[in-house]
């Protein structure tokens, strides 16, 4: 059974801090690992990672995949209050989602 | 369309009634997925479609749940004889092909009284 585990479950930081969110996975027929940000209802897409060791960047967010060790990290630098959300990673045939990391950025 | 749309955005129903939730995927997307998210919980996979067929229905919680997709586009998720534990946000997503990046709709918040 496919499994995706995220850590930490929740995190509280101050504006300007850098955070690292973790995602480990055990999935069959791995094709890609996806990161999403969920604020209200629907998750919004952040990154799709398919190749090991290649960092994807978008502004203050970046993510990298380690296919050998079966994990990915999502980094957010210079955090802002608008980064407060649940961050989800997902992978596998049926796109199994982890439980998410709740990030709260305090001003 | 520009994005995935779902209707209704909110639905309140009485226990025992049937409800139908609708999803309009992004035009041209062949894969469509349904998820459920209960309060404070992660996303739970329900079913996915490739075209009009659903190769994997194992995520449907019970035989009260069914889904169909017609014309390779719109999908409906039907819940018969709703129970209070069915209360959740039901999210639909679509992708160009199966296992490609999924784009989510805004969801339907279902409350069963």
């Amino acid at each position: 059974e496919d499994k995706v585990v995220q850590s930490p479950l929740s995190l509280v930081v101050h504006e300007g801090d850098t955070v690292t969110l973790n995602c480990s996975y055990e999935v069959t027929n791995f094709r890609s690992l996806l990161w999403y940000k969920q604020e209200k209802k629907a998750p919004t897409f952040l990154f799709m990672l398919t190749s090991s060791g290649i960092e994807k960047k978008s502004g203050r967010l970046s993510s990298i995949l380690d296919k050998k060790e079966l994990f990915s990290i999502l980094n957010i630098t210079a955090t802002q209050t608008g980064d407060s959300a649940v961050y989800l990673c997902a992978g596998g045939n049926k796109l199994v989602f982890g439980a998410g990391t709740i990030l709260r950025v305090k001003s | 369309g520009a994005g995935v749309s779902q209707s209704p955005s909110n639905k309140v129903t009485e226990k025992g009634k049937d409800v139908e939730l609708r999803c309009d995927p992004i035009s041209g997307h062949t894969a469509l997925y349904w998820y459920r998210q209960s309060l404070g919980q992660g996303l739970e996979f329900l079913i996915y479609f490739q075209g009009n067929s659903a190769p994997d229905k194992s995520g449907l919680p019970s035989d009260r749940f069914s889904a169909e997709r017609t014309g390779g586009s719109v999908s409906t998720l039907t819940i018969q004889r709703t129970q209070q534990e069915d209360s959740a946000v039901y999210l639909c997503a679509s992708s160009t092909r199966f296992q490609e990046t999924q784009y989510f709709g805004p969801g339907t918040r279902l409350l069963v009284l």
Side-chain angles (χ1 to χ4, degrees):
Chain A
E1 185 179 328
D2 291 354
K3 188 166 64 174
V4 176
V5 178
Q6 292 185 246
S7 63
L9 291 180
S10 65
L11 195 54
V12 180
V13 300
H14 288 95
E15 271 192 315
D17 288 350
T18 294
V19 297
T20 298
L21 311 183
N22 303 294
C23 175
S24 64
Y25 62 91
E26 292 176 29
V27 301
T28 53
N29 299 321
F30 176 85
R31 179 169 174 149
S32 61
L33 187 127
L34 303 168
W35 282 97
Y36 287 86
K37 177 182 181 183
Q38 186 174 26
E39 292 175 270
K40 296 281 172 71
K41 274 188 189 175
T44 53
F45 171 75
L46 294 175
F47 298 109
M48 179 169 73
L49 303 162
T50 55
S51 301
S52 207
I54 298 176
E55 185 182 53
K56 292 275 185 93
K57 280 183 73 74
S58 176
R60 296 176 294 103
L61 277 65
S62 64
S63 185
I64 197 161
L65 177 70
D66 186 328
K67 288 170 80 171
K68 182 180 175 186
E69 299 298 330
L70 306 181
F71 79 88
S72 174
I73 58 172
L74 175 69
N75 278 320
I76 309 175
T77 59
T79 51
Q80 302 171 357
T81 55
D83 296 328
S84 298
V86 177
Y87 290 83
L88 298 163
C89 74
N93 278 340
K94 291 186 262 189
L95 207 70
V96 173
F97 279 81
T101 293
I102 301 170
L103 174 65
R104 183 178 161 215
V105 182
K106 297 167 73 172
S107 57
Chain B
V4 179
S5 60
Q6 292 185 245
S7 62
S9 53
N10 292 281
K11 176 73 178 178
V12 181
T13 190
E14 292 179 349
K15 179 180 169 182
K17 301 278 190 185
D18 297 351
V19 295
E20 194 171 277
L21 312 180
R22 177 187 167 109
C23 172
D24 269 286
I26 292 172
S27 178
H29 280 194
T30 60
L32 184 149
Y33 314 77
W34 283 99
Y35 295 89
R36 176 170 75 172
Q37 189 170 34
S38 303
L39 188 64
Q41 302 296 312
L43 284 162
E44 176 190 2
F45 167 79
L46 297 178
I47 189 171
Y48 82 90
F49 289 89
Q50 281 185 282
N52 291 333
S53 64
D56 185 351
K57 300 180 182 179
S58 61
L60 294 175
S62 75
D63 59 7
R64 296 185 295 104
F65 287 72
S66 63
E68 65 174 16
R69 189 180 186 196
T70 54
S73 182
V74 172
S75 176
T76 53
L77 176 70
T78 302
I79 310 173
Q80 295 177 306
R81 305 181 302 282
T82 51
Q83 303 293 312
Q84 288 181 332
E85 62 262 27
D86 299 334
S87 297
V89 175
Y90 288 82
L91 289 161
C92 172
S94 71
S95 61
T96 50
R97 288 183 300 277
F98 180 56
Q99 292 188 326
E100 296 292 336
T101 302
Q102 297 187 6
Y103 295 91
F104 282 81
T108 293
R109 188 178 299 277
L110 174 67
L111 178 61
V112 182
L113 301 176

